[in-house]
Amino acid sequence: MKKKIILTEDEIKHIARLANLPLTQEEINKFQEQLSEVVDYINKLNKINTDKVEPIAQLTDLVKVYKKDIQSSERSLTQEEASKNAKAKKNGFIKTKSIFNL
Amino acid sequence: MEIYYLTIKEAIGGLKKKSFSALELTKACLQRIKLIDKKLFAFLTIDESRAIEKAKEADRLIRKSTEAFRTKPLLGIPIGLKDLFTTKDLRTTAGAKIIKDYIPPFDATVVRKLKEAGAIILGKTNEDAWGHGSSGENSDYGPTRNPYNLDRVPGGSSSGSGAALASGECLMATGTDTGSSVRLPAAFCNLVGLKPTYGRVSRYGIIAMASSFDTIGHITRTVYDNALALEVTAGNDPYDATSSSIPVLNYASFLEKKIKSLKIGFPKEYLVEGIDKSVEENFYDTIKIFEKLGAKLKKVSLPHTEYAMACYYILVPSEVSSNLARFDGIRYGGERNLFGAEAKRRIMLGTYTLSAGYYDAYYLKAAKVRRLIKQDFERAFAEVDVMIAPSSPSIPFKIGEKIDNPLQMYLSDVFMCPVNVAGVPALNIPSGFIEGLPVGIQIIGPHFKEELLYQVGSAFEQETKFYQIKPEI
């Protein structure tokens, strides 16, 4: 059976950019084929009429879950704990790439 | 029998009678890991020195009084934790290379509860990275092998947990189940695996895959052990707003109840094309055993079954793409190009189904279909107490068999994902062997009726005792 190519190469590149995923050309080619096959499969939902069905977001009938607005020392991390896994640090702060002037 | 093959119940009996110490039990498991884990690759990280220290501490408590088990029901029991479980000061990788050196500064709620219950944490088990997979082959560190046949997959994504427990490397192991990941390794490794009701066990500190699907379960050798562990892990947690306040029961007390006259349904849509003949035969044999035990078997219908996988593979990748967005290499971990192929695929798919112009066609549509699937289960449970179904349409497959075809790999969970779409609980129990390989069935119940699963599972286990068959390794 010939595989349907539903997603174009440009679409794959666009999705990768939205997802902040650097892909190699090899990955782009592979994902174009594999994701097209999966998208073709999930398109079968179009066969069901859902005009009168409300979407559902949660399953166990919870309503309005609140928590007390108090500071919990149990869950607080020290600056050292919170930053200990960061690769780039300066003066106890986490260094990031510049986000302005890109 | 070697002490590393004991059930938790037997091990606690032995510890109370001083037949062996917690230290001896822990060392027996650690020795077992050293001896065979090169073949299986079930563990990613071993925490030997802390495990030994904790075992000595357990022995001191037991020497003081055997009453210690009242407040610490898992005292001295060596366990493995899936590497999605955040463990304070113990490397947690999610089976992924992008966070290969992440040392968490806190414990997941379930980890804290297991520690407080006295369990000895031996280490972290291998898994499909982020829980994405059905075979264990998507681990960025290498696949885990099935102890019953090293050329076969142990089932995933909690692959290391299944293989470790089946081969005597621990007495219990934890897992997460978003689409099959506790039940499939349990089925492929001759074990009892619980996917609890969504919200029954706190998700706090479990690295998130798909937040409206993720459930936190565990794998044990027997139904009793499983019930005992759920009494420890279940319950409301203020740190997880979706965790339920419904009271936690004394689950182990339901095991002696008979199942005579209980109504057990089996979904007719699960017994059609695509299921191995031998698996189907095994399932009909299983039905006969339940009939012999006095249960009333009845065919039921889940009419939207055909659409469940499509619904799942829209909603889950959508949530995955959102959850994995946090791995940006700034606060911890490396750059995003380090994601494995399957994580990249799911991030891409989810980004597509959530993106402008496609949200209504995919995500919203699937959220509507999800309601229809949930209603299917509700209607079925108006007719029967529980349902049973094969856990997998096939026997444990060969390593490499499906790795190049993601869609085929996804469809190996066709009997399991609908359960997560509906959020109901299910328990895999061993149902025998085909060509020397374990197969299982799942018992599926209404929301928050885990006790019924244990009652039904225990009756079947008492009759069949498949758990006594150990792998030769």
Side-chain angles (χ1 to χ4, degrees):
Chain A
M1 198 177 77
K2 193 174 172 295
K3 280 180 182 156
K4 277 194 225 170
I5 296 298
I6 294 173
L7 299 168
T8 65
E9 186 173 329
D10 280 348
E11 278 179 304
I12 295 290
K13 286 178 178 166
H14 175 65
I15 299 163
R17 199 174 58 83
L18 290 177
N20 188 20
L21 269 187
L23 297 184
T24 62
Q25 186 59 44
E26 195 189 343
E27 285 175 320
I28 290 170
N29 297 345
K30 194 166 80 177
F31 288 161
Q32 190 183 355
E33 187 186 316
Q34 290 175 337
L35 294 178
S36 286
E37 193 183 0
V38 176
V39 169
D40 186 38
Y41 179 80
I42 62 181
N43 274 336
K44 70 152 72 174
L45 289 195
N46 293 331
K47 286 196 269 175
I48 317 178
N49 183 338
T50 52
D51 290 349
K52 296 203 173 99
V53 184
E54 284 293 309
I56 193 169
Q58 63 98 13
L59 304 159
T60 50
D61 304 327
L62 293 169
V63 273
K64 291 192 173 67
V65 180
Y66 296 116
K67 72 181 179 74
K68 288 207 176 82
D69 187 18
I70 47 165
Q71 202 181 359
S72 153
S73 60
E74 187 194 346
R75 214 160 51 139
S76 303
L77 300 177
T78 62
Q79 186 174 8
E80 194 187 338
E81 284 170 329
S83 63
K84 73 170 181 176
N85 282 283
K87 299 270 187 304
K89 275 179 284 196
K90 192 172 183 182
N91 301 334
F93 292 99
I94 298 169
K95 266 170 73 174
T96 68
K97 285 177 192 157
S98 153
I99 51 168
F100 299 110
N101 306 321
L102 272 175
Chain B
M1 191 169 60
E2 301 292 345
I3 55 174
Y4 51 71
Y5 270 140
L6 294 177
T7 66
I8 295 176
K9 189 181 191 179
E10 290 163 348
I12 289 172
L15 289 169
K16 279 184 178 168
K17 277 190 291 184
K18 316 275 195 297
S19 312
F20 48 82
S21 68
L23 185 61
E24 283 165 324
L25 185 59
T26 299
K27 280 187 169 171
C29 290
L30 289 166
Q31 193 54 42
R32 184 79 176 149
I33 293 169
K34 277 181 194 148
L35 192 69
I36 62 170
D37 206 54
K38 275 194 191 73
K39 289 188 218 168
L40 294 173
F41 198 21
F43 274 91
L44 291 174
T45 308
I46 313 282
D47 198 17
E48 179 163 356
S49 58
R50 257 182 294 204
I52 284 177
E53 188 190 312
K54 289 289 171 192
K56 286 177 182 166
E57 215 175 287
D59 281 329
R60 279 195 292 276
L61 288 173
I62 296 166
R63 266 197 303 275
K64 227 185 271 173
S65 164
T66 51
E67 293 291 298
F69 288 95
R70 280 185 194 274
T71 51
K72 294 186 177 297
L74 297 174
L75 187 58
I77 301 300
I79 67 169
L81 298 178
K82 185 180 188 179
D83 215 11
L84 278 180
F85 286 60
T86 298
T87 43
K88 187 172 164 50
D89 300 329
L90 178 61
R91 185 175 83 130
T92 300
T93 72
K97 284 269 168 81
I98 183 172
I99 50 167
K100 66 178 192 305
D101 50 7
Y102 171 51
I103 312 284
F106 73 107
D107 273 330
T109 295
V110 173
V111 173
R112 178 179 56 77
K113 285 181 164 190
L114 288 167
K115 283 180 176 174
E116 284 169 5
I120 312 291
I121 293 163
L122 298 174
K124 309 297 288 289
T125 58
N126 201 354
E127 56 160 298
D128 288 294
W130 313 105
H132 302 170
S134 314
S135 69
E137 293 165 285
N138 290 334
S139 164
D140 289 350
Y141 298 89
T144 302
R145 292 171 182 275
N146 191 318
Y148 287 90
N149 181 332
L150 296 175
D151 296 328
R152 303 269 171 170
V153 304
S157 67
S158 312
S159 48
S161 286
L165 181 60
S167 62
E169 295 181 342
C170 55
L171 270 67
M172 169 185 143
T174 64
T176 57
D177 194 316
T178 304
S180 70
S181 293
V182 165
R183 288 163 289 158
L184 199 60
F188 283 2
C189 294
N190 195 35
L191 299 165
V192 178
L194 175 72
K195 177 236 171 278
T197 309
Y198 181 81
R200 180 68 295 180
V201 178
S202 167
R203 293 180 293 110
Y204 178 70
I206 309 298
I207 295 176
M209 176 176 160
S211 304
S212 80
F213 290 77
D214 292 347
T215 59
I216 314 311
H218 47 268
I219 309 179
T220 56
R221 297 195 168 115
T222 61
V223 174
Y224 175 89
D225 287 2
N226 210 287
L228 186 70
L230 185 63
E231 291 173 20
V232 172
T233 62
N236 180 251
D237 177 12
Y239 299 159
D240 173 4
T242 60
S243 68
S244 175
S245 301
I246 292 174
V248 176
L249 302 179
N250 177 1
Y251 296 107
S253 70
F254 288 83
L255 303 195
E256 299 307 318
K257 287 180 76 174
K258 297 271 178 278
I259 62 163
K260 202 166 155 46
S261 306
L262 211 68
K263 278 180 272 177
I264 301 181
F266 54 100
K268 64 177 185 184
E269 289 83 2
Y270 286 25
L271 296 167
V272 286
E273 53 174 327
I275 181 169
D276 283 3
K277 193 97 198 105
S278 56
V279 172
E280 196 176 356
E281 278 166 20
N282 175 275
F283 185 66
Y284 282 115
D285 290 345
T286 300
I287 286 180
K288 280 187 209 130
I289 293 169
F290 277 116
E291 281 173 338
K292 186 181 148 198
L293 292 167
K296 302 265 177 289
L297 275 289
K298 187 181 175 189
K299 212 176 254 188
V300 291
S301 176
L302 299 171
H304 295 92
T305 296
E306 190 197 340
Y307 302 103
M309 293 307 285
C311 176
Y312 181 90
Y313 273 99
I314 293 170
L315 296 176
V316 169
S318 297
E319 296 186 22
V320 162
S321 71
S322 164
N323 274 324
L324 294 187
R326 78 189 59 167
F327 295 92
D328 53 11
I330 294 172
R331 291 154 302 151
Y332 47 87
E335 301 280 335
R336 284 173 76 76
N337 62 334
L338 295 172
F339 276 123
E342 184 60 29
K344 284 179 180 166
R345 255 193 301 273
R346 295 199 192 197
I347 291 170
M348 294 283 289
L349 188 58
T351 303
Y352 176 70
T353 52
L354 286 177
S355 63
Y358 295 104
Y359 176 85
D360 284 1
Y362 290 111
Y363 187 85
L364 197 67
K365 179 82 183 181
K368 290 176 176 180
V369 175
R370 188 177 197 181
R371 181 180 294 277
L372 296 175
I373 291 165
K374 181 177 180 252
Q375 286 170 350
D376 279 358
F377 279 85
E378 285 162 358
R379 288 197 186 107
F381 287 128
E383 288 181 54
V384 294
D385 297 297
V386 296
M387 286 189 276
I388 55 171
S391 286
S392 164
S394 75
I395 59 173
F397 42 92
K398 289 202 175 97
I399 289 180
E401 195 177 318
K402 300 186 184 182
I403 197 70
D404 290 325
N405 191 331
L407 187 60
Q408 280 313 306
M409 185 73 96
Y410 296 169
L411 296 180
S412 51
D413 294 338
V414 63
F415 298 152
M416 288 189 161
C417 289
V419 168
N420 299 69
V421 173
V424 295
L427 184 75
N428 176 84
I429 52 168
S431 66
F433 287 79
I434 296 170
E435 298 169 33
L437 296 164
V439 287
I441 60 142
Q442 45 177 344
I443 305 162
I444 307 163
H447 283 138
F448 299 106
K449 290 285 180 197
E450 279 80 358
E451 65 276 15
L452 262 180
L453 310 186
Y454 288 135
Q455 182 187 343
V456 174
S458 175
F460 186 80
E461 180 184 82
Q462 290 306 310
E463 184 68 22
T464 55
K465 294 192 163 54
F466 292 121
Y467 69 89
Q468 293 174 343
I469 302 169
K470 303 297 176 198
E472 284 170 33
I473 178 164

